[in-house]
Amino acid sequence: NKGNSSTNEVVVTAETMKNIRRQKDIEKLVIEAMENDRVEVHYQPIFNIATNTFSSAEALVRIKLIDGTYLQPNEFIPVAESSGRIIPLSDAIYRSALSFIKSYHVERLGIQHIELNLSVKQGESPTFTTKILQLLEDYQINPEIINLEITETSSLRSKERLHENMKKLEEHGLCFSLDDFGSGSSNLNYIIDMPVSIVKLDKLLSDEYFKNSEKAKAIVNAVIEMAHSIGIKIVAEGIETQEEFDTMKALGVDYIQGFFFSKPLPEHEFLKFIQNNNLK
Ligand code: C2E
Ligand code: CA
Ligand code: CA
Ligand code: CA
């Protein structure tokens, strides 16, 4: 033993190698899916307490595998974000969603907003605003139907540019939700600094609330009161049971999203769901 072993010696464990290989495999699946039209967008209906209808829906990406099963976003979004592939992937997702909105006139079914997830990599890009506006122009979509869900993350490099992009898009009629509130990194500053009109309470926080955590209860109550006092609406995410629904409704949240109503659905199933529930 020489005592002072080299400090820049890299130890590549079998586990690391497996992860690298897996990342590369996932990366390859993403590229193949983009080339072969297997990037699908599913839609999860969001219930509006005031109107008693499903007045919005969240667009959630899936990759259809050759055997007909789906690769879930938690497996490939982080990989796409670290490789930079998230930009072309998001382009494909947004085009798919806009084409869906256009083709089926979802607003005629009582859908006021389609919520698209926004990765910080997209949101802080200098060309983001013009790109979105161009897409809306291409598909002839009223910008007011689009709600972009942002998450506060540590990977945000330029809050200023994100803010600038949001401001410009807001002037064109788009609106924003603060996603995953209460999941750890979220921060009330965002509600004050950024033009958000909706806060989405993360499932983790609601679950703590349902487990009777005093801390979670205090946070949820404070956030709802604070948001409402400045005209911001609240969505409770990940609501799975009647009891959870009743609790959130009694708390005064404005929208409910979760498996209690529906999982994210492929386009045609989503349209059927909305027709059956909104047009009766
Ligand atoms: P998210 O934005 O927080 O989306 C909500 C997730 O919760 C979705 O998972 C949805 O299927 C799931 N969910 C909804 N209701 C319930 C429920 O009652 N119980 C439980 N256990 N889960 C519920 P999904 O579709 O697997 O997406 C996971 C994450 O991947 C999303 O979390 C989002 O961060 C990311 N993601 C999904 N689609 C996109 C996209 O198009 N672009 C970007 N950048 N990220 C996306
Ligand atoms: Ca979301
Ligand atoms: Ca969320
Ligand atoms: Ca989440």
Side-chain angles (χ1 to χ4, degrees):
N1 192 348
K2 301 268 186 323
N4 57 343
S5 75
S6 163
T7 47
N8 46 25
E9 178 182 325
V10 178
V11 183
V12 181
T13 63
E15 190 61 27
T16 312
M17 274 318 291
K18 222 167 99 191
N19 285 337
I20 292 172
R21 206 165 294 132
R22 185 161 165 71
Q23 292 241 338
K24 287 246 181 311
D25 288 346
I26 289 175
E27 178 77 13
K28 221 161 50 194
L29 278 176
V30 171
I31 295 168
E32 276 168 15
M34 287 198 285
E35 284 168 351
N36 297 297
D37 244 8
R38 283 190 279 105
V39 176
E40 272 190 29
V41 180
H42 289 190
Y43 297 88
Q44 185 175 32
I46 300 176
F47 185 75
N48 181 330
I49 302 268
T51 61
N52 240 336
T53 62
F54 294 90
S55 65
S56 54
E58 178 172 1
L60 294 155
V61 65
R62 273 100 183 84
I63 283 181
K64 193 166 198 164
L65 300 173
I66 303 171
D67 65 3
T69 62
Y70 290 103
L71 190 65
Q72 300 299 315
N74 286 336
E75 299 207 54
F76 63 84
I77 290 285
V79 176
E81 278 179 340
S82 64
S83 72
R85 196 80 54 188
I86 189 69
I87 300 287
L89 179 61
S90 299
D91 288 349
I93 296 166
Y94 281 30
R95 284 188 181 279
S96 168
L98 295 184
S99 155
F100 176 66
I101 294 168
K102 178 81 190 155
S103 309
Y104 295 99
H105 300 282
V106 296
E107 69 285 355
R108 291 184 198 159
L109 304 173
I111 297 291
Q112 290 162 0
H113 293 293
I114 294 289
E115 309 194 351
L116 301 173
N117 285 285
L118 177 64
S119 157
V120 289
K121 283 257 166 57
Q122 290 171 276
E124 63 186 7
S125 149
T127 58
F128 184 62
T129 300
T130 41
K131 198 175 198 174
I132 291 288
L133 294 176
Q134 186 60 52
L135 275 178
L136 292 168
E137 176 87 26
D138 289 350
Y139 289 90
Q140 290 288 298
I141 304 277
N142 177 359
E144 288 174 14
I145 202 167
I146 304 299
N147 176 304
L148 299 178
E149 299 193 352
I150 59 157
T151 314
E152 185 186 20
T153 66
S154 48
S155 61
L156 181 61
R157 292 223 186 87
S158 169
K159 193 172 180 182
E160 286 66 39
R161 195 141 65 201
L162 173 63
H163 191 233
E164 215 173 280
N165 282 332
M166 288 172 74
K167 272 281 176 222
K168 266 191 236 140
L169 290 172
E170 192 195 31
E171 282 163 21
H172 283 88
L174 286 92
C175 58
F176 295 89
S177 296
L178 177 62
D179 205 352
D180 296 343
F181 184 86
S183 68
S185 63
S186 57
N187 189 319
L188 275 177
N189 287 341
Y190 256 56
I191 309 181
I192 297 156
D193 297 352
M194 303 294 212
V196 298
S197 47
I198 289 177
V199 169
K200 302 191 81 171
L201 293 182
D202 195 78
K203 179 170 175 46
L204 284 173
L205 182 60
S206 318
D207 284 350
E208 282 307 307
Y209 189 101
F210 300 135
K211 279 191 249 161
N212 264 316
S213 147
E214 290 305 323
K215 199 168 154 192
K217 284 190 172 182
I219 294 172
V220 170
N221 283 317
V223 168
I224 293 176
E225 196 185 308
M226 203 269 254
H228 281 167
S229 75
I230 52 175
I232 290 175
K233 306 258 193 219
I234 305 277
V235 181
E237 285 193 284
I239 298 307
E240 296 183 343
T241 66
Q242 179 75 54
E243 199 187 341
E244 291 175 0
F245 173 84
D246 293 341
T247 305
M248 284 297 155
K249 187 176 172 183
L251 270 174
V253 309
D254 305 280
Y255 303 93
I256 309 267
Q257 178 179 0
F259 296 169
F260 174 58
F261 287 115
S262 172
K263 284 197 256 185
L265 302 169
E267 291 183 354
H268 286 95
E269 286 176 45
F270 170 73
L271 291 169
K272 240 187 283 161
F273 180 98
I274 294 298
Q275 271 156 355
N276 289 338
N277 287 282
N278 279 3
L279 306 180
K280 55 171 190 223

